[in-house]
Amino acid sequence: MKHADQSKPRSPRRREVLAGAAAGTAAMLIPPVASAASDTGAAQASIYPARAFAQTSEAAALQAMFGKTPAHSSEVRMSAPDIAENGAVVPVAVDANLPDVTTIAIMAIDNPFTMAAAYKIPAGTSTAISSRIKLAKTTKVVTVVESAGKLYSTSKQVKVTLGGCG
């Protein structure tokens, strides 16, 4: 009986091939770890309005989002229907004739969660926003605009006849 020559390289076993394939697949599926310095901005951006969206009152949502109270301004214009036939899709349009707008938020005061939408506005971008929000019932819709570090708002009562959040 002859013994295998130990000097010849052996071919990989099935088990080794499968383990290598599994390790390669796992390496492709796991995202790379970024440095703490570059990750800080991304983490803050991803959680930026999250606390505000969990609030159930106007004051709490404003505090969580901005940390201050807005002043009413005729420079902030909002278009919403007087009567929304379907509360599940209520069109709201916002525009602001203000310099350095950085944030626009839309709130539905009597919704289970007050904050309906929030937008970060990059420098040099149009401040016109158009969205569809869901209203649980007849409520006041408030738009808040952050401009040059100050808050400005306007509001409108919208009557809901059908649908809504419930």
Side-chain angles (χ1 to χ4, degrees):
M1 183 179 207
K2 290 187 175 181
H3 294 288
D5 184 18
Q6 297 298 329
S7 63
K8 286 182 13 184
R10 65 177 179 82
S11 61
R13 295 184 188 149
R14 180 175 183 264
R15 192 174 296 158
E16 292 168 336
V17 171
L18 290 175
T25 302
M28 288 188 299
L29 295 176
I30 298 173
V33 177
S35 70
S38 66
D39 197 35
T40 303
Q44 287 176 347
S46 68
I47 63 168
Y48 155 69
R51 290 187 320 263
F53 280 95
Q55 304 305 314
T56 58
S57 72
E58 179 180 8
L62 286 170
Q63 182 64 34
M65 183 72 148
F66 301 106
K68 49 192 167 189
T69 306
H72 181 77
S73 174
S74 61
E75 298 297 317
V76 178
R77 293 174 302 281
M78 175 177 56
S79 170
D82 293 327
I83 299 174
E85 291 181 18
N86 185 352
V89 287
V90 179
V92 177
V94 181
D95 195 9
N97 189 21
L98 295 164
D100 304 321
V101 172
T102 56
T103 308
I104 296 177
I106 302 170
M107 297 184 293
I109 303 308
D110 291 330
N111 269 8
F113 296 103
T114 305
M115 188 68 65
Y119 302 91
K120 281 190 172 184
I121 310 297
T125 304
S126 170
T127 58
I129 299 290
S130 181
S131 186
R132 294 185 184 272
I133 63 173
K134 193 172 201 178
L135 298 180
K137 57 186 176 181
T138 297
T139 188
K140 179 170 80 168
V141 176
V142 178
T143 298
V144 179
V145 174
E146 186 174 29
S147 169
K150 295 181 182 175
L151 296 182
Y152 303 95
S153 72
T154 191
S155 64
K156 181 176 185 176
Q157 187 76 12
V158 178
K159 182 178 180 181
V160 176
T161 59
L162 171 70
C165 295

